[in-house]
Amino acid sequence: HRWTRPMPPPIPCCVDVPAAEALLRYGLTELLRGLGLTPDWVRRGDARLVVSADGAAEAGPLGLQVASRALADLAAPHLPAVADLGWVDVRGERWPVPVGSPGRTDRLGDLIAGSAWWLAGLQEHAMGARDRHGRVPFDASLQAALGDAPGGPLRPAVDAYRAHLGAALRAHGIETPGRTWGGALWSVALTHDLDAVRTRRMRALAGDLRRGRPVAALRRALGPDRRRASIDALHALAARHGTPATWFVKPGAWTPEDVPGGLDPWLVRRLRRWEAEGHEVGWHPGYGTHGHPARWATEADRFETAFGRLPTLARTHFLRWTEPDTPRTLAASGVRLDSTLGFAEHPGFRRGTAQPFRLFDPVADRGTDLWEMPLALMDATLTDYLGLGPKAMGERIAAVFAAARESGGVAVVLWHNQLGADTAAWEAGVDALDHALGQARADSAGIGPLEALLSAWNRD
């Protein structure tokens, strides 16, 4: 389909490690993808790049050896302490390697294994800890332990490994054409989750009157619906920056965490009109879909009825994610691109990369066709979890954008329409995002919706 690059330059490769072949192939494939290359799997004697176990005889001009301990860490993932990490020197900085022995490693194969560890979510399987919504908690992650150091939430390690591998390939006469975002060296994806579309005016009015706020009650009764008005304000924000956005809609409300009315006819009419301007509409599966296959099917059918097609883009409500069930269900429903995998409590890159990648199925032990554009920044993270004001919000947004720029990746931004009663605070947050988007444009970022950006990245 359109997200697949037609003819990426092939490089003959061989993974000669039967015990971890699928994961090592996956890690190598994703590293090469970001360098503008694709592996052509051949026999060992025909390969230009060979991944083998430590101590095995090398073949070809570039042999990537994997330490036996790194292979053991892939077979039985654990969460290493910072003191137990390996590290590799990339452009004068020490980058952590979560597999293998502590201390410096010069094995490129260990970086392949480390990439698989990050991208396949082996950290999350090793952690075990989950919050009350079933999500991976940031505080329990290796990124939290690393903080602002390389490998932390805003210094994605996989992208450093890729740069190191690219330098080694070029030293062996293998060109790395790389990728851009339609000519831009980095990008920002503008996305919105529309959890609620209409204010329950009578309930809000009664609440204001109970709290002795008659002026606010009158404003609610006679003024524009803040939730609808904020959707139009977000559309205007995108227009100011000359870009469409991706809008995720909720076809189901199953639990108290799900607000009803996600496929309001008013919203459907607007989004169908905005699609003609290049905007994208994706599926926002409800909180209560997890563990209920019939609800997934119901929501997909409702989406198809509203928009005349099955959804191809998705992000789950509350960022709920269970492997392998969630990605398998999304793919079976027609979804080809997800953007759920971020931390709820902290900005950054949960799977260690700012670049798109294909997900790995840990039970089937294989890569999948489902793309991930990792979520890097959410408004609720800045306001609800971190309690930041407008100035500090702007600083955090700028830090996320700087990380994407450094990695040549994408900063996927999630900004909700207004849900709470404080319109001034919501508008201040949008102003902070507006300023940051303007600065990103000045820094030559490509700005757009998810599908269009991935398509451009795969073409270049």
Side-chain angles (χ1 to χ4, degrees):
H1 50 67
R2 74 179 105 175
W3 302 329
T4 300
R5 188 174 184 171
M7 289 295 292
I11 173 173
C13 297
C14 174
V15 172
D16 190 13
V17 189
E21 181 177 359
L23 274 168
L24 292 172
R25 279 195 179 201
Y26 171 72
L28 180 58
T29 298
E30 296 305 325
L31 288 184
L32 291 175
R33 193 193 308 279
L35 295 171
L37 299 170
T38 188
D40 177 20
W41 301 113
V42 298
R43 295 176 302 177
R44 183 184 182 106
D46 299 325
R48 295 195 69 188
L49 188 157
V50 176
V51 180
S52 60
D54 193 16
E58 293 191 6
L62 185 56
L64 312 183
Q65 293 198 333
V66 187
S68 57
R69 179 161 172 178
L71 294 174
D73 290 340
L74 293 183
H78 71 285
L79 190 65
V82 172
D84 295 331
L85 291 169
W87 58 273
V88 62
D89 188 354
V90 181
R91 293 178 295 204
E93 284 191 296
R94 287 164 48 109
W95 285 83
V97 183
V99 298
S101 301
R104 178 169 178 168
T105 177
D106 292 317
R107 296 183 185 88
L108 285 169
D110 287 358
L111 304 189
I112 306 300
S115 297
W117 189 89
W118 286 109
L119 296 174
L122 298 191
Q123 168 179 227
E124 299 164 20
H125 299 297
M127 284 166 54
R130 297 294 184 268
D131 69 11
R132 65 189 182 92
H133 303 295
R135 303 176 303 196
V136 172
F138 171 74
D139 287 345
S141 69
L142 179 57
Q143 288 103 319
L146 288 164
D148 293 333
L154 296 181
R155 303 292 306 280
V158 173
D159 300 333
Y161 305 163
R162 181 180 291 110
H164 197 56
L165 175 61
L169 292 174
R170 290 188 293 274
H172 284 77
I174 300 170
E175 293 299 319
T176 58
R179 292 181 186 268
T180 69
W181 303 86
L185 296 181
W186 68 289
S187 67
V188 177
L190 188 59
T191 76
H192 308 292
D193 290 1
L194 305 180
D195 295 335
V197 181
R198 181 164 46 185
T199 305
R200 297 180 180 181
R201 289 184 184 245
M202 294 307 298
R203 178 182 295 181
L205 175 63
D208 282 333
L209 291 174
R210 280 197 310 272
R211 289 187 289 269
R213 297 161 53 182
V215 174
L218 185 63
R219 188 182 301 117
R220 286 183 191 275
L222 301 179
D225 186 305
R226 66 177 184 273
R227 290 177 173 170
R228 290 186 172 187
S230 62
I231 292 172
D232 285 339
L234 291 174
H235 180 259
L237 170 71
R240 283 198 296 278
H241 294 282
T243 180
T246 300
W247 307 81
F248 290 103
V249 297
K250 281 179 79 275
W254 312 101
T255 69
E257 291 82 6
D258 290 317
V259 183
L263 283 181
D264 186 281
W266 174 91
L267 177 65
V268 172
R269 289 193 298 271
R270 260 173 168 64
L271 292 179
R272 291 180 71 107
R273 186 169 73 246
W274 292 349
E275 281 186 304
E277 304 171 3
H279 290 261
E280 300 167 0
V281 181
W283 179 19
H284 197 39
Y287 188 98
T289 58
H290 290 264
H292 295 274
R295 292 177 180 176
W296 287 100
T298 297
E299 290 199 14
D301 289 344
R302 289 175 181 172
F303 186 100
E304 184 178 19
T305 298
F307 296 102
R309 56 177 175 78
L310 286 170
T312 57
L313 312 171
R315 175 185 293 131
T316 65
H317 190 40
F318 272 70
L319 309 182
R320 301 192 86 195
W321 187 268
T322 302
E323 290 190 342
D325 295 346
T326 304
R328 284 182 178 180
T329 304
L330 290 175
S333 302
V335 172
R336 294 293 174 263
L337 171 58
D338 174 78
S339 188
T340 298
L341 294 182
F343 291 112
E345 320 97 297
H346 200 283
F349 301 93
R350 172 170 155 182
R351 292 283 175 98
T353 184
Q355 296 203 7
F357 61 98
R358 283 182 169 167
L359 292 167
F360 187 84
D361 187 320
V363 174
D365 195 31
R366 63 175 180 82
T368 74
D369 292 331
L370 182 60
W371 283 96
E372 182 66 25
M373 291 272 273
L375 176 63
L377 177 69
M378 178 171 64
D379 54 351
T381 303
L382 305 180
T383 57
D384 299 358
Y385 289 94
L386 300 179
L388 304 182
K391 182 175 184 297
M393 288 175 65
E395 292 170 352
R396 289 297 181 99
I397 297 170
V400 172
F401 286 8
R405 183 174 63 248
E406 180 183 356
S407 297
V410 56
V412 177
V413 174
L414 159 55
W415 220 262
H416 295 83
N417 64 310
Q418 186 184 348
L419 299 179
D422 193 341
T423 299
W426 184 84
E427 290 176 343
V430 173
D431 286 345
L433 176 61
D434 192 1
H435 176 78
L437 290 173
Q439 186 60 53
R441 291 171 61 200
D443 289 342
S444 303
I447 303 178
L450 289 168
E451 182 179 347
L453 283 174
L454 180 58
S455 179
W457 186 79
N458 266 320
R459 283 198 309 269
D460 291 350

